[in-house]
Amino acid sequence: MNPSAHVDTFARDHLPPPDQWPELRFDLPELRYPDRLNCAAELLAGPAGDRPVFHTPTGGTWTYGHLRTRVDRIAHALTRDLGVVPGNRVLLRGPTTPWLAACWLAVLKAGAVAVTVLAQQRPHELATMCEIARVEHALCDVRAVDDLARAGIPGLRITTYGGDAPGDLLNRATPEEPYTAVDTASDDVALIAFTSGTTGRPKGCMHFHRDVLAIADSFARHVLGPHPDDVFTGSPPLGFTFGLGGLVVFPMRAGASALLLEQAGPRQLLPAIAEHRVSVLFTAPTAYRAMLDELDGYDVSSLRRCVSAGENLPAATWRAWHERTGLRVINGIGATELLHIFISAADDRIRPGTTGVPVPGWHARVQDESGAPVPDGEPGLLAVRGPVGCRYLADPRQREYVQGGWNVTGDTYVREPDGYFRYVARADDMIISAGYNIAGPEVEDALLRHPDVLEAAVVGRPDEARGQVVVAFVVLKEGAERDTGALRAHVLSELAPYKCPREIVLLDALPRTATGKLQRFRLRAAACDAGDTDGDQQ
């Protein structure tokens, strides 16, 4: 590794041992970065000062010049007033706004390590992450400070922004001169991103300054193909690496701009796209499906790119969106451990029902539990490697994720003979019933083809006779008849009988994390509680 600029060496000291790292590949010339690199300085060194970089829902616009000035003010406050030194971990918390993005950039420019969390996370979650990352400083939107204060984190110094108090970050008197970026190593830790914690204790994923640029110089450059005049927006928050890339890193790397929405559900996205002439959209499959019924009321002709990640994109959703808009959704699989998307396809290379092919700069294969590649057409575990790799912060689960130099994502995939990768299920979501392997997403896709179904999730429930049986949880569209028999008949018309849900439970909403990921462990518990009788649950 290169000599570190960090004074506080905690992050580097707690990287996994080198023999537990995945093999890193820098196949493309643009992925071979210099030894000294500060990614915030690189992102800020883009277009002329009068070019727009961030838009707000109320019509305000920040230019690149405004952003550079404000980032330097914050960086001066961090280092001069708050005593932050290179390598300190700084927690960032707040809704998605230009000020949160500016704080993130300032932390990195000052050589500190950004720990961006979600505004929805509760005190015990915040306390756990601060304990793992040994966080001593926090920059928090004044509207989101209560839960952070209630977390009672020992030694944490909280500085609010966006308020009227003299000590507010934005009210501090700071030098007007530019802030010289800390001369960080390209492999100094720039950020710690926590897994969403769908099961168990969250894992802190450590990413370097070069990693931040690598996701833009691989997926964004070669698959997304952004233009300087693009306007990005989307639903993922900046505490979610899908949002951090799609709403800050990718547009800034391309000299483009982003509309940052504090509220970005399906009901807010469509009017925002129409009003601000958004051209690039990042959101999850659930949102695309939810927006279908509202499309007629909004002008979305400005859209040219739609990106889906976070969970598998059903072919039925892809086709419905394409039929209504003419737009081909760019499906992708990413992971917090790898920072962003590593398998995808765009334009004529898209094949509905598959995720795509490895993003340029990345390699992927399907292997068995021993690590041996499996033949094309057979299911196995997805393994990938490229310019970014999993490095958990002092976590023994590193040995589970990295095996034989490959990042093993926990997804079951099939590689087709022509090189396309098709999602089957999360490795722990495969349902084995009476000797049959049943992929939950296949059953979900069949349910989603019913015109009354808004969302569907399928899990296995232990069964003494069959090993497991299929249980489906369904959210119906407003006004639809609550007829589980009709839903079962529909699935029987689409799939082999052994794949048909033995039980269909109707819910008002599926349980999800704050990042929108489905919490299947909660559905498994509910399936065990529900018994063998169909019914409605509120």
Side-chain angles (χ1 to χ4, degrees):
M1 298 186 71
N2 298 307
S4 176
H6 287 180
V7 176
D8 178 346
T9 62
F10 170 85
R12 181 167 283 198
D13 292 345
H14 288 82
L15 287 166
D19 63 353
Q20 294 181 24
W21 285 33
E23 180 183 337
L24 298 175
R25 304 291 294 267
F26 305 97
D27 297 340
L28 304 177
E30 55 267 34
L31 299 177
R32 298 167 194 158
Y33 301 103
D35 291 345
R36 312 308 297 179
L37 176 72
N38 185 297
C39 65
E42 287 290 319
L43 293 173
L44 288 162
D50 58 353
R51 290 278 298 175
V53 60
F54 295 134
H55 310 277
T56 66
T58 57
T61 295
W62 287 29
T63 67
Y64 276 87
H66 291 143
L67 178 61
R68 284 190 275 266
T69 298
R70 289 161 181 170
V71 166
D72 286 352
R73 281 183 53 203
I74 296 169
H76 278 300
L78 285 170
T79 55
R80 190 189 69 166
D81 293 356
L82 302 180
V84 172
V85 300
N88 281 167
R89 277 74 57 216
V90 181
L91 186 86
L92 300 171
R93 185 170 195 254
T96 301
T97 64
W99 282 113
L100 178 61
C103 287
W104 183 80
L105 289 161
V107 168
L108 270 59
K109 193 170 185 180
V113 178
V115 183
T116 306
V117 298
L118 302 172
Q120 301 96 319
Q121 284 169 323
R122 299 303 181 220
H124 74 280
E125 297 171 300
L126 298 168
T128 297
M129 290 184 283
C130 286
E131 175 195 349
I132 294 171
R134 306 273 181 88
V135 175
E136 296 180 354
H137 298 274
L139 303 182
C140 185
D141 190 301
V142 70
R143 298 168 295 173
V145 75
D146 289 349
D147 277 349
L148 184 58
R150 279 197 290 268
I153 299 162
L156 182 66
R157 180 174 182 177
I158 301 172
T159 303
T160 60
Y161 62 87
D164 297 327
D168 188 273
L169 180 69
L170 309 182
N171 295 334
R172 292 173 180 265
T174 55
E176 295 295 326
E177 68 265 16
Y179 184 91
T180 301
V182 170
D183 185 29
T184 45
S186 60
D187 53 6
D188 270 333
V189 176
L191 63 94
I192 299 173
F194 279 90
T195 58
S196 55
T198 52
T199 59
R201 184 175 172 87
K203 300 178 283 286
C205 306
M206 295 194 281
H207 293 297
F208 298 156
H209 280 265
R210 71 183 183 212
D211 298 345
V212 174
L213 301 184
I215 60 173
D217 295 340
S218 55
F219 170 73
R221 177 173 178 172
H222 292 280
V223 180
L224 188 62
H227 299 163
D229 291 332
D230 276 326
V231 179
F232 288 63
T233 200
S235 61
L238 303 189
F240 189 20
T241 57
F242 183 37
L244 185 65
L247 302 181
V248 177
V249 177
F250 297 167
M252 290 188 67
R253 189 64 164 164
S257 63
L259 169 66
L260 301 184
L261 299 170
E262 295 189 29
Q263 301 294 325
R267 292 184 184 275
Q268 290 85 27
L269 283 175
L270 285 173
I273 292 166
E275 180 180 352
H276 296 273
R277 307 301 293 163
V278 169
S279 57
V280 182
L281 175 63
F282 280 72
T283 192
T286 302
Y288 285 110
R289 188 163 185 87
M291 288 189 287
L292 285 170
D293 290 340
E294 308 292 332
L295 276 172
D296 289 341
Y298 300 97
D299 178 7
V300 297
S301 60
S302 60
L303 283 176
R304 70 175 194 89
R305 289 296 204 211
C306 297
V307 181
S308 173
E311 57 189 8
N312 182 55
L313 175 66
T317 302
W318 191 96
R319 291 192 174 95
W321 186 261
H322 183 249
E323 288 170 4
R324 296 293 305 281
T325 66
L327 294 164
R328 297 168 175 263
V329 177
I330 297 173
N331 191 16
I333 179 174
T336 307
E337 287 86 351
L338 302 175
L339 200 52
H340 219 274
I341 292 171
F342 44 80
I343 294 178
S344 187
D347 303 319
D348 293 340
R349 300 193 73 192
I350 293 174
R351 186 173 302 169
T354 71
T355 307
V357 296
V359 168
W362 291 86
H363 302 261
R365 71 181 191 183
V366 177
Q367 61 185 44
D368 62 22
E369 291 187 357
S370 71
V374 303
D376 287 348
E378 294 187 13
L381 298 173
L382 179 66
V384 298
R385 63 188 180 192
V388 182
C390 175
R391 292 175 292 262
Y392 287 142
L393 195 170
D395 196 307
R397 289 172 288 186
Q398 177 77 13
R399 292 184 179 275
E400 300 171 12
Y401 202 92
V402 177
Q403 300 176 24
W406 292 82
N407 301 277
V408 182
T409 68
D411 299 281
T412 298
Y413 262 79
V414 168
R415 185 186 185 274
E416 305 291 3
D418 59 2
Y420 275 74
F421 284 76
R422 175 169 53 84
Y423 178 80
V424 179
R426 285 291 296 174
D428 55 0
D429 289 339
M430 184 69 79
I431 302 165
I432 303 175
S433 182
Y436 290 102
N437 288 342
I438 303 168
E442 182 183 14
V443 185
E444 293 165 3
D445 203 17
L447 283 163
L448 287 169
R449 289 193 287 272
H450 191 285
D452 290 343
V453 174
L454 180 64
E455 293 186 85
V458 168
V459 299
R461 184 179 67 210
D463 181 82
E464 187 173 345
R466 298 175 180 82
Q468 287 180 299
V469 294
V470 178
V471 179
F473 293 85
V474 173
V475 178
L476 296 174
K477 294 180 180 178
E478 188 174 351
E481 184 178 355
R482 301 175 73 86
D483 184 350
T484 57
L487 296 177
R488 184 179 288 108
H490 168 76
V491 176
L492 277 170
S493 72
E494 299 264 331
L495 302 175
Y498 71 86
K499 298 179 182 178
C500 184
R502 186 169 181 82
E503 181 175 358
I504 297 177
V505 180
L506 303 181
L507 299 177
D508 290 335
L510 297 179
R512 295 184 180 275
T513 67
T515 63
K517 288 189 176 181
L518 184 66
Q519 294 178 308
R520 290 187 186 271
F521 72 97
R522 292 180 59 185
L523 294 179
R524 292 191 193 98
C528 291
D529 293 341
D532 292 322
T533 304
D534 290 347
D536 294 356
Q537 290 187 358
Q538 304 301 319

